[in-house]
Amino acid sequence: MAAAAALALASPLRRLLRAPHPRGAISAPYYGITRGRCSSAIAVAAAAARNSAMKGSVDRNAAEEVRNILDMAERASQLRDVFHTNFLTPPIIKEAMLAIEKLADIKAVAQGGYPQAERCRISVGHPDSMTSNPDVVAALSISGNFRLEPCSHGDFLGAILGTGITREKGERGAQVLVDPELVDYLISTLEKVGKVGVSCTQIPLLALEYEPPRTKSSKTVEASLRVDALASAGFKISRTKLASLISAGDVRVNWTPVLKNGVTLKSGDIVSVSGMGRLKIGEIVTTRKGKYAVELIRYL
């Protein structure tokens, strides 16, 4: 009864705690890469990451993160071992995977615990050492009787941080994703969320109750597929306003900052605007008058 009540209250709290560690668990989405050049190429790729930051395609912090991942890849290749990153944001995942793509003797796998996970850990290693996807994520369920004492995301986060795990190692939720080596520690240490006594148990990744993102679709007819035309329609702001956001570096396409209003979009592209959320470009149909009828999918 208590567990059922907890599940009903906890299940909407889908934002998951993620805590990284050198080794861990999963079999969800991944990208396998084994082509390119190596050791000296890693230095070239690292320099390219820094140059990308200088040119504005990635920010300096992301470039530094990518450089660190490339350094990790070099060590993994030399030692014939496998290393794992922390949970990374989509822009860093994209840049790191593109950089590693140019290297030989390196296999890279990005895993987040469930199919729609945006934040993932990257595992890098020599192909001979990484013959299967490494286990880098484990799932925990936190349950208790929250009927009289409802708890917020912050309550769950605070309880987990109270065990000594730093904020940099995770986010919050009633179901949490952590490094497998943290499982026993959290099970034995996490006793309360707010004033509610809780039990913490490991669950299979397939048992995660995650919600698909909520979206709202609309359509627009435009003379071009430029980012300023489609994004202004999708976010319902003027092209002038969008142009100023682009100039400020606040607009990204597929996680990469766009620097010009005239960038052309295609079906499947994701446009994100700082402070406004994300927009996916859906089906594009050319009208009889040569214009474009475009489906715009806004993430809520």
Side-chain angles (χ1 to χ4, degrees):
M1 186 77 165
L7 181 62
L9 280 160
S11 56
L13 305 176
R14 299 286 188 243
R15 303 222 20 139
L16 306 176
L17 172 92
R18 302 180 177 95
H21 200 276
R23 297 196 181 273
I26 174 141
S27 56
Y30 71 94
Y31 311 89
I33 292 171
T34 55
R35 59 181 182 277
R37 294 195 208 100
C38 201
S39 194
S40 61
I42 289 178
V44 174
R50 288 191 293 271
N51 290 338
S52 292
M54 295 293 291
K55 294 175 182 177
S57 63
V58 293
D59 62 43
R60 291 179 182 273
N61 290 337
E64 182 68 18
E65 190 84 47
V66 171
R67 187 184 68 79
N68 291 338
I69 294 168
L70 292 171
D71 289 343
M72 181 185 294
E74 181 179 23
R75 293 197 306 275
S77 179
Q78 291 173 347
L79 298 173
R80 296 290 180 111
D81 203 348
V82 180
F83 297 112
H84 315 292
T85 69
N86 293 337
F87 279 89
L88 307 171
T89 60
I92 294 174
I93 294 168
K94 177 188 173 184
E95 294 295 333
M97 297 302 282
L98 288 174
I100 295 171
E101 207 172 50
K102 299 177 176 64
L103 308 178
D105 298 326
I106 294 292
K107 181 177 180 180
V109 177
Q111 303 174 99
Y114 60 104
Q116 284 136 332
E118 289 187 348
R119 288 178 175 265
C120 296
R121 298 179 71 186
I122 295 177
S123 300
V124 292
H126 192 280
D128 293 344
S129 304
M130 202 156 67
T131 55
S132 62
N133 291 349
D135 293 333
V136 293
V137 182
L140 295 175
S141 176
I142 303 170
S143 59
N145 188 353
F146 296 98
R147 184 172 299 170
L148 299 178
E149 291 284 345
C151 289
S152 67
H153 288 184
D155 293 323
F156 279 91
L157 177 61
I160 292 166
L161 297 182
T163 66
I165 296 175
T166 63
R167 187 181 183 93
E168 288 71 26
K169 288 189 176 182
E171 295 179 2
R172 63 248 177 164
Q175 293 180 329
V176 300
L177 291 174
V178 299
D179 181 274
E181 294 192 18
L182 290 175
V183 168
D184 290 341
Y185 175 72
L186 283 171
I187 288 175
S188 63
T189 306
L190 188 60
E191 297 178 344
K192 283 189 175 183
V193 174
K195 297 179 181 179
V196 179
V198 297
S199 62
C200 189
T201 57
Q202 185 172 7
I203 60 174
L205 288 171
L206 292 176
L208 282 171
E209 298 178 31
Y210 58 89
E211 287 179 344
R214 292 188 302 118
T215 60
K216 182 178 180 180
S217 295
S218 62
K219 289 198 173 181
T220 186
V221 176
E222 303 291 341
S224 77
L225 297 175
R226 288 166 44 127
V227 64
D228 57 350
L230 299 188
S232 61
F235 290 104
K236 301 189 185 309
I237 58 176
S238 69
R239 291 197 188 187
T240 302
K241 172 65 174 175
L242 190 74
S244 66
L245 290 169
I246 289 174
S247 299
D250 291 331
V251 179
R252 292 174 179 262
V253 174
N254 300 327
W255 315 117
T256 299
V258 292
L259 305 177
K260 298 179 179 179
N261 299 348
V263 171
T264 300
L265 301 180
K266 63 184 182 303
S267 180
D269 282 346
I270 301 289
V271 182
S272 55
V273 177
S274 298
M276 295 185 182
R278 288 176 297 153
L279 177 74
K280 182 176 182 179
I281 307 303
E283 183 182 17
I284 300 174
V285 177
T286 304
T287 70
R288 285 179 291 181
K289 295 184 178 180
K291 293 189 176 183
Y292 301 96
V294 183
E295 179 188 21
L296 303 173
I297 305 167
R298 181 84 178 266
Y299 290 85
L300 303 177

